[in-house]
Each structure stands twice: as C-alpha cells, then as structure tokens.
C-alpha cells in the first residue's frame, strides 16, 4: 500500500496540468493543480506538498524559477521538478542551481517520469521513517515519557530540567521499580550531554574484582583472563554520563576508588600505571537507605556526601496512587501494540482494584500486572476478572500484613519465599510476580539467605 | 475523454472505448490507455499492443491478451483502483511492452477485494 503523498502540478496550460495530475492520481498519489506561480505559492502556504512539478515558462509575472524559489523558502524540504518544452542547458543549470531536484523536458517518457517520482518518493519515505524513529528514540528517554501528575513527581521533573546541564553528581533514591534509571536517562537526554554516551552499570550484579575492571578497565595480563586491554565504563562514558545503579551494594575497596574518581576526576585501569582523566557526569541510584548504611558503617560517609550533591527521591507508587490509572492506560497502549492485542480500555471496576493494591514492586509491578492481564484477556476491555490473580495475591498479603510481629525484613523475606514456592523456583516468574527485576531478586535471596 | 463522457448512455455503468490510434497525453510521449479515476469512461489504444508496431510478425492472440489486460487496467481505474506494486497484477503500471506482457489477467488478492467492493457498491446503486 502506497502512502498518499501530495503532489502539486503547476502549469498555465490546463490540458498539461490536468493530464499529468490525472496520471499521478492513477499512480496512487494525491495530485492537486495550480494554473499560475501565484496560485502555486498560495497553495504552498496552506498545505505542505511532498513534490512540485513546476512549468518553467508561465505568464503572469512569476515564472517557474521564481515560483520554485518562493516554494523553497516556504518549504525547504519539498522536492521541485522543473518541466519545460524549451530545453536549453542554461535554463537547466539555473534551475538546478536554484534548488530544483530534477529537470524534465516535455513530452516525457512514461518510464522516465515514473522512475523519477518513485525515486523521489522512495527517499521521502526513508526520510519520514528516519524522522519517526529518531523521534521515538528521543521520546523513550525524554521527560515526556515519564508519566505522572503527582505534585512530588512534577517537582522532580522541574528539578531535572534545572540540573540537566550541570556537571554535579546526582543521587537518585527510590524503591525497586520506581524508575530510577528512567529518571537518570531523562537527566542525560535533557541536558547538554545528550549526544554523548549514557553508560549504565549495575553495581549489585558483579563480584568485586569484576566490578572493578568493569568500571575502570584493565591492562592486558593484569589478572588471569585479562588477555587484552579493556576500557572501563568510566572511559566509555567519556563526555557523557555514567549511571551507577545499586550503588549501596558497592564493596568497601571500590567505595574508596570511586571516591577518588569523584574527587580527582581521574583513575588507573586495573594493573595500569597510566593515570586516565575523564569528563563524566556521575548519576548514582540506590534502593537502600544510604544514610542508614552510613550509620551502620557499611557505606563511607565521605562517598555519601560526594554522591549526594543533588538528591532526588522518587516516591513509591503507593504514595502516588493518582498515577495508577494514567500509567495503566499508558502500559495498556504500549503493551497491546507489542503483544498484537486489540485491547483498548480498562473497566472502572478493574481500575478501582488496581488503585486498592499497595504496589510493593512499584511501576514495574504495575507494568507486569497489565502485561499478565493482557496475555489472558479475550475481550477488547480489561475487566476486573482479568486481574483476579492480583486479588488472590492481595488476600495472601493481607494475612501477612495482619501479623504484627514481623519486621519489614522478615516480611520481604516471606514474600520472596512465597513467590519462589508458587513459581516452583522459577526466578524470572518469581521476579515478575514480586514486581522486581531478576538481579534485585538474586541480591535479596543472597541477603536473606533464602534456600532455593 | 470529454466526448466519451457525453457519449455514455445514461443506463450504462461504464463506457470503454477501443481505438487503433496511438494515444498520448500532453505531458507524456505515449500511453496505452486512459481512464477517469473513479469515473465512468476509459479508453485503450491497440496501436502499441500489436506486434507489427515493433516490426514483428502479426500475432492476434497476443494482441487480444494484451488488450484484455489493458482493458482490465483502465476499467480498474474507473472503479477507483490505483497502480498496484505486484508486477503480475493487471493494475501494475506498465511503461513498456515487456512490463505489459509480464502482467496476467488475474487481479491480485488486494485489488480483487477492492474491485469486488466497488462492484458491490455499484450494485447497491451507489457507484
């Protein structure tokens, strides 16, 4: 199926413009006509045509070249093809110099004109696709893509705009699934570093030595397996932003190394002697209370202050329940497209059910819940019935919540044990049920010494 | 074309004219046929469909087969169909005789559906 591109045919001879327009319509384009340069310019002011066929010799004051120049001024991206019966090399050169994309002599061969139009429209299709993809890419990480009408979140959006182009370190704190990485990316892509790399590292996912080489790189032969020199994430993020996720889990030695990078803006590769200087903005994120970790002596106080220059605390979803319907509709729109489902609405009763949930896994849990409901939904509406699994989980949780002797730690441990039992130890499914990512689940299993 | 429009009997749905004359529209050097897109009249020239035009021996069967495809093409336009990207469909654009010979007289799936819909509308008295 061809896209209906709009083409304007400009010729003072009626039979010429109407016959060419008729042929273009048969070829699937939407063709309009103008009898003079003036009429063409007026039409170009009102509508954007993808392509213009302009006759060179036209009476009435404005000739083809002048018409073309004016159209170019109005629509710099339009393709203009000059047509004339009086072909001379001079007029061709003038037309091309003034910005005509092509120059044809009438009467022209059907094959020639068809190839010409197809070639130009082919390029236009690619340009449009490219622009759409670029827009999509930027949108994915822009502030507009973070959905919230909560005043505290709005405050965060304002702060992001103010600090986006600064070099200061940012510390993002929030529970699992609140969208810390999304905020970090929004800061990067809103600021002056947007065209430079954004490099993310999850500090909890790797063992100490691996993390060290991941962050700072290593020299060839610096340890077993270091068969070649490798650049670290700090170097790869040069000029851009490094995002250190789960910074609260970073081991003591690396805390010291990181402190040095933040102070000196330089470091050494593992096994290296050359000091490497970097211009990198650091954004760190954590779901643990760093102040408490400092008090407990597991996190360096000086590093905490170095990181906590600009602090952003993302509220959990249960504290901004007004966002639940907005987010639910957003995920429905996005996921139904991805899953190829024609589900367009969520019933009032289903939304009430979602608003009553406490969302321990935050926005990520909500996304998973919508996906799970969509997979089994057989209707064009997500109803309360599609979220029955959530009601069952709620009941289970209520039993837990009613027990007053449990600490939060124990509560979390129990929730993980229940999820693992229910999914027969399937980590991916258990993480989805809990609304956390797999690396967080691994980390918590380790932390609470849960048998799998 | 204007004359053909005035010649169409009021109780007819489409008027298709055949001519031995070589046709052209002012912008183009030649055309095999012409139609009103979504209109009622169309015409097809047999001049370039005959082998003799290309200094080849007469082949009536080939001329008829080419004429059928061109008639389908132009009539297709009167039912609102535009050029098809499938080279074998009669609605494909042919700018030379090789392309015309590559076409078949069978409409592709999409064009068949659109044509059937247009004819159904016509039967209901809307076209």
């Amino acid at each position: 199926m061809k896209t209906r591109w709009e083409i304007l045919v400009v010729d003072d001879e009626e039979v010429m413009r109407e016959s060419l327009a008729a042929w273009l319509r048969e070829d699937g384009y939407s063709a309009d006509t103008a009898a003079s340069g003036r009429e063409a310019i007026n039409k170009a002011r009102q509508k954007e045509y993808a392509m213009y066929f302009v006759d060179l010799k036209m009476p009435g004051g404005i000739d083809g070249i002048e018409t073309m120049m004016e159209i170019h001024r109005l629509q710099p991206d339009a393709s203009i093809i000059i047509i004339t019966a009086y072909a001379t090399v001079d007029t061709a050169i003038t037309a091309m110099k003034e910005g005509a994309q092509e120059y044809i002599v009438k009467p022209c061969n059907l094959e020639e004109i068809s190839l010409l139009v197809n070639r130009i429209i082919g390029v236009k299709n690619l340009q449009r696709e490219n622009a759409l993809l670029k827009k999509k890419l930027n949108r994915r990480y822009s502030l507009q893509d973070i959905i919230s009408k909560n005043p505290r979140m709005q405050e965060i959006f304002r702060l992001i705009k103010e600090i986006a182009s600064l070099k200061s370190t940012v510390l993002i704190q929030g529970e699992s699934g609140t969208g810390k990485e999304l905020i970090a990316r929004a800061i990067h892509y809103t600021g002056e570093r947007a065209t430079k790399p954004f490099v993310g590292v999850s500090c909890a996912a790797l063992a100490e030595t691996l993390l060290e080489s991941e962050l700072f790189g290593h020299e060839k032969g610096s340890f077993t397996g270091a068969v070649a020199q490798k650049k670290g994430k700090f170097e790869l993020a040069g000029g851009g932003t490094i995002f250190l996720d789960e910074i609260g889990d970073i081991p003591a030695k690396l805390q010291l190394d990181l402190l040095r990078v933040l102070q000196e803006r330089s470091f050494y590769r593992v096994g290296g002697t050359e000091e490497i200087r970097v211009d990198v903005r650091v954004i760190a994120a954590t779901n643990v209370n760093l102040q408490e970790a400092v008090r407990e002596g597991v996190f360096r106080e000086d590093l905490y202050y170095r990181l906590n220059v600009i602090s952003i605390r993302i509220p959990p979803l249960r504290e901004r329940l007004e966002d639940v319907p907005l987010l639910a509709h957003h995920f429905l729109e996005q996921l139904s497209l991805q899953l190829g489902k024609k589900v367009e609405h969520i019933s009032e009763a289903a939304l009430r059910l979602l608003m009553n949930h406490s969302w321990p896994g935050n926005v990520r849990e909500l996304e998973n819940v919508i996906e799970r409901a969509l997979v089994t939904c057989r209707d064009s509406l997500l109803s309360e019935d599609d979220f029955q699994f959530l009601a069952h989980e709620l009941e289970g949780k209520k039993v837990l919540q009613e027990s007053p002797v449990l600490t939060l730690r124990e509560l979390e441990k129990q929730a993980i044990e229940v999820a693992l039992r229910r999914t027969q130890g399937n980590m991916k499914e258990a993480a989805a049920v809990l609304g956390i990512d797999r690396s967080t689940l691994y980390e918590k299993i380790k932390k609470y010494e849960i048998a799998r | 074309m204007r004359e053909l429009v005035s010649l169409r009997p009021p109780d007819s749905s489409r008027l298709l004219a055949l001519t031995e004359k070589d046709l052209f529209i002012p912008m183009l050097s030649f055309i095999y046929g012409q139609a009103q897109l979504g209109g009622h009249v169309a015409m097809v020239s047999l001049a370039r469909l005959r082998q003799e035009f290309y200094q080849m021996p007469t082949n009536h069967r080939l001329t008829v087969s080419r004429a059928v495809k061109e008639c389908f093409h132009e009539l297709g336009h009167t039912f609102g169909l535009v050029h098809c990207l499938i080279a074998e469909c009669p609605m494909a654009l042919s700018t030379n005789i090789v392309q015309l010979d590559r076409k078949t007289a069978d409409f592709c799936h999409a064009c068949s559906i659109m044509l059937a819909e247009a004819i159904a509308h016509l039967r209901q008295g809307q076209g």
Side-chain angles (χ1 to χ4, degrees):
Chain A
M1 188 77 193
K2 284 179 181 173
T3 316
R4 296 273 293 180
W5 286 99
E6 309 245 12
I7 302 177
L8 184 69
V9 181
V10 191
D11 200 315
D12 56 308
E13 279 181 81
E14 188 192 358
V15 68
M16 287 286 179
R17 61 172 188 271
E18 290 305 335
S19 61
L20 179 59
W23 185 84
L24 288 167
R25 285 182 203 118
E26 284 181 4
D27 210 28
Y29 302 104
S30 171
D32 204 352
T33 57
S36 67
R38 213 174 291 281
E39 192 187 342
I41 292 162
N42 280 338
K43 286 198 166 175
R45 278 205 186 100
Q46 286 155 22
K47 202 194 237 174
E48 218 167 293
Y49 295 91
M51 205 193 293
Y52 291 82
F53 281 93
V54 180
D55 188 29
L56 190 67
K57 301 262 179 198
M58 281 187 296
I62 307 179
D63 71 4
I65 300 272
E66 284 168 309
T67 307
M68 178 185 76
M69 286 163 71
E70 187 58 23
I71 291 171
H72 250 306
R73 211 180 51 77
L74 291 167
Q75 292 168 21
D77 293 336
S79 298
I80 300 173
I81 296 142
I82 287 286
I83 31 177
T84 182
Y86 313 92
T88 67
V89 175
D90 285 354
T91 46
I93 290 172
T94 317
M96 299 302 266
K97 261 190 187 162
E98 296 301 340
Q101 193 155 350
E102 283 291 341
Y103 183 91
I104 54 170
V105 182
K106 60 186 173 184
C108 47
N109 182 317
L110 189 61
E111 197 161 5
E112 184 189 353
I113 206 159
S114 163
L115 283 172
L116 177 72
V117 174
N118 280 340
R119 183 161 50 80
I120 292 175
I121 292 298
V123 173
K124 295 233 174 258
N125 277 329
L126 281 177
Q127 282 171 342
R128 183 150 83 174
E129 194 182 1
N130 189 290
L132 273 173
L133 288 172
K134 267 192 187 156
K135 211 164 133 190
K136 255 190 189 168
L137 190 71
N138 285 336
R139 231 184 72 82
R140 266 184 75 92
Y141 300 128
S142 71
L143 269 179
Q144 288 86 44
D145 208 42
I146 307 176
I147 291 159
S148 179
K149 56 179 181 185
N150 175 273
R152 275 161 73 195
M153 290 299 286
Q154 295 293 332
E155 188 58 45
I156 292 175
F157 299 160
R158 269 196 295 278
L159 180 68
I160 289 176
K161 281 184 198 151
E162 279 171 30
I163 59 142
S165 289
L166 305 180
K167 209 178 167 180
S168 312
T169 304
V170 182
L171 179 65
I172 305 171
Q173 298 187 79
E175 293 178 10
S176 286
T178 45
K180 295 183 287 290
E181 182 166 349
L182 219 56
I183 294 284
R185 283 185 186 272
I187 296 172
H188 175 80
Y189 286 100
T190 307
E192 283 164 11
R193 291 170 182 260
T195 54
K196 298 282 165 49
F198 175 93
V199 177
V201 194
S202 173
C203 301
L206 298 167
E208 182 174 334
T209 47
L210 268 178
L211 182 59
E212 188 182 7
S213 114
E214 192 72 10
L215 288 176
F216 306 116
H218 59 245
E219 295 294 343
K220 185 177 173 183
S222 57
F223 54 86
T224 320
V227 289
Q229 186 209 60
K230 188 192 156 195
K231 281 188 179 175
K233 301 281 191 194
F234 268 98
E235 266 180 273
L236 294 173
T241 304
I242 189 165
F243 173 58
L244 303 170
D245 199 6
E246 325 240 16
I247 192 82
D249 297 305
I250 200 166
K253 182 191 172 295
L254 279 177
Q255 288 184 26
L256 188 64
D257 291 340
L258 199 56
L259 182 68
R260 201 170 45 231
V261 182
L262 290 174
Q263 280 170 344
E264 318 283 336
R265 300 274 156 192
S266 69
F267 61 89
Y268 294 90
R269 289 194 195 115
V270 176
T273 49
E274 183 197 352
E275 189 182 22
I276 295 161
R277 300 204 65 80
V278 279
D279 165 32
V280 171
R281 182 188 204 165
V282 177
I283 301 179
T286 178
N287 57 7
V288 301
N289 187 332
L290 276 191
Q291 250 173 324
E292 214 168 87
V294 169
R295 265 198 301 277
E296 285 172 11
V298 288
F299 201 84
R300 292 183 68 103
E301 192 175 9
D302 42 9
L303 178 59
Y304 172 68
Y305 286 115
R306 276 278 167 194
L307 289 171
N308 197 22
V309 181
I310 298 166
S311 173
I312 295 177
R313 206 175 278 273
I314 311 177
L317 190 54
R318 64 181 171 280
E319 286 174 23
R320 50 183 183 110
L321 285 171
E322 70 268 38
D323 284 342
V324 169
L326 274 179
L327 287 162
H329 280 110
H330 167 75
F331 289 134
L332 175 70
E333 197 182 315
Q334 216 176 40
L335 293 166
S336 57
L337 208 71
Q338 275 174 26
L339 298 169
K341 288 253 179 177
K342 280 202 171 138
V343 184
E344 283 163 5
H345 302 287
I346 307 177
S347 77
E348 285 284 325
L351 279 177
R352 267 198 303 280
L353 184 89
L354 294 180
M355 298 273 284
N356 282 327
H357 188 56
S358 63
W359 303 109
N362 291 297
V363 184
R364 190 183 296 123
E365 184 190 0
L366 176 59
E367 185 178 6
N368 291 336
V369 162
I370 299 285
E371 184 172 359
R372 194 165 152 189
L374 261 176
V375 168
T376 50
C377 179
R378 297 273 168 269
D379 210 348
S380 65
L381 178 90
L382 277 185
S383 70
E384 212 180 344
D385 291 345
D386 294 309
F387 295 102
Q388 278 312 307
F389 62 92
L390 199 63
H392 292 148
E393 279 168 23
L394 264 176
E395 275 165 30
K397 275 172 196 151
K398 263 183 201 152
V399 176
L400 286 174
Q401 280 159 5
E402 277 158 16
S403 169
V405 288
L406 291 177
T407 64
L408 275 175
R409 267 179 82 94
E410 285 166 331
L411 205 63
E412 191 170 59
K413 188 179 172 193
Q414 276 196 17
I416 293 168
E417 282 170 342
V418 169
L420 283 170
R421 254 200 314 278
R422 249 188 234 168
T423 57
Q424 277 101 41
N426 183 322
M427 297 294 281
K428 195 179 168 192
E429 278 180 32
V433 167
L434 290 164
I436 56 176
D437 60 33
R438 247 191 297 176
S439 64
T440 312
L441 180 60
Y442 276 113
E443 173 210 331
K444 288 190 189 295
I445 287 173
K446 211 168 89 186
K447 185 168 153 194
Y448 299 131
E449 295 171 334
I450 297 168
R452 285 159 58 198
Chain B
M1 291 296 279
R2 270 191 203 134
E3 209 175 320
L4 283 182
V5 173
S6 67
L7 284 174
R8 182 174 72 95
D11 57 344
S12 69
S13 155
R14 297 293 185 273
L15 175 69
L16 174 70
L18 288 180
T19 176
E20 283 292 346
K21 294 232 163 67
D22 197 9
L23 297 176
F24 75 98
I25 56 174
M27 259 306 292
L28 301 170
S29 51
F30 78 90
I31 49 170
Y32 293 116
Q34 171 82 324
Q36 286 180 306
L37 188 67
H40 299 274
V41 302
M43 67 167 106
V44 168
S45 158
L46 299 174
R48 289 174 193 253
L49 305 185
R50 296 189 185 281
Q51 284 292 73
E52 299 90 304
F53 186 86
Y54 309 97
Q55 283 83 50
M56 308 268 272
T58 306
N59 185 339
H60 287 307
R61 197 184 285 264
L62 188 57
T63 309
V64 170
S65 124
R66 285 170 178 170
V68 166
K69 289 187 264 184
E70 263 315 288
C71 290
F72 280 5
H73 182 99
E74 298 306 336
L75 281 173
H77 280 319
T78 67
F79 285 102
L81 269 62
V82 297
H83 291 154
C84 178
L85 296 173
I86 295 170
E88 289 76 23
C89 175
M91 287 317 293
L93 167 70
S94 34
T95 58
N96 56 50
I97 202 71
V98 178
Q99 285 174 355
L100 203 159
D101 284 341
R102 204 181 148 191
K103 297 204 278 194
T104 67
D106 296 322
F107 286 91
C108 74
H109 189 58
C111 288
S112 305
I113 292 171
M114 286 191 279
L115 193 60
E117 263 181 26
I119 291 171
H121 271 271
L122 178 70
R123 290 218 171 104
Q124 286 163 13
Q126 293 168 17

